[in-house]
Amino acid sequence: MVKAVFPGTFDPPTVGHLDIITRAAAAFDELIVATGVNQSKNRLFEPQERIEMLTELVEPFPNVRIGTFEGLLVDYCRAEGAGVIVKGLRSAADYDYELQMAQLNRRMTGVDTHFLPTAPENAFISSSWVKEIARLGGDVSTFVTPAVHARLLNTL
């Protein structure tokens, strides 16, 4: 049984995240979508709110569950018995950054990273951009699910 972890801040979760979750759920026996604490990111939603949004998002997938972690991702993977980290890639810049992290994680713990290129229609979507556009009054309804969109509008 291959267990994988798809980590992120998911603030908020986007349709790009959902695409990666859908594809990773089909590829692995079990997928843990793990929201972590990243001090370098300016978060709009509290951890519990992100967990609630993610729980709703993964409801259709019986082999997907939500987790949370602080500290090193590889320590979380080890504690969960996961041998694979899943990362979505939007661009070559993502690849350059994520490749070094994947090599470091493999060297430290033996955990492999599987890269999934984003669907072209989602390549420009990021949680940071969604928040910025929404804050400035732009329409982000096609970048997030209806439930996430409602939360976003209520939070801003």
Side-chain angles (χ1 to χ4, degrees):
M1 181 165 142
V2 179
K3 187 185 295 188
V5 173
F6 176 35
T9 52
F10 305 106
D11 184 46
T14 69
V15 295
H17 293 129
L18 180 57
D19 174 56
I20 298 298
I21 291 167
T22 301
R23 292 162 51 207
F28 298 101
D29 298 313
E30 183 179 352
L31 179 66
I32 304 167
V33 178
T35 182
V37 176
N38 183 336
Q39 300 299 336
S40 69
K41 293 197 176 182
N42 184 17
R43 288 175 300 285
L44 178 64
F45 293 101
E46 295 298 322
Q48 187 57 40
E49 291 175 296
R50 289 182 279 140
I51 291 167
E52 290 167 5
M53 287 186 283
L54 288 168
T55 299
E56 185 174 292
L57 201 67
V58 305
E59 190 175 354
F61 307 99
N63 64 327
V64 179
R65 65 182 169 91
I66 304 304
T68 61
F69 71 97
E70 289 187 47
L72 292 176
L73 174 60
V74 289
D75 289 342
Y76 178 76
C77 289
R78 190 177 315 147
E80 289 289 342
V84 176
I85 296 168
V86 173
K87 292 289 190 136
L89 299 176
R90 293 173 299 203
S91 67
D94 283 353
Y95 178 76
D96 288 343
Y97 175 78
E98 295 293 350
L99 178 62
Q100 289 179 331
M101 192 178 304
Q103 292 167 332
L104 183 61
N105 288 340
R106 175 120 170 91
R107 176 70 184 263
M108 288 172 55
T109 63
V111 174
D112 270 323
T113 300
H114 287 228
F115 296 126
L116 290 175
T118 188
E121 63 270 17
N122 298 327
F124 58 89
I125 300 172
S126 75
S127 294
S128 298
W129 282 113
V130 167
K131 288 185 289 194
E132 183 69 15
I133 293 166
R135 280 187 185 118
L136 296 172
D139 180 13
V140 295
S141 61
T142 60
F143 306 147
V144 295
T145 64
V148 170
H149 188 246
R151 278 186 187 252
L152 187 58
L153 292 179
N154 287 332
T155 301
L156 294 175

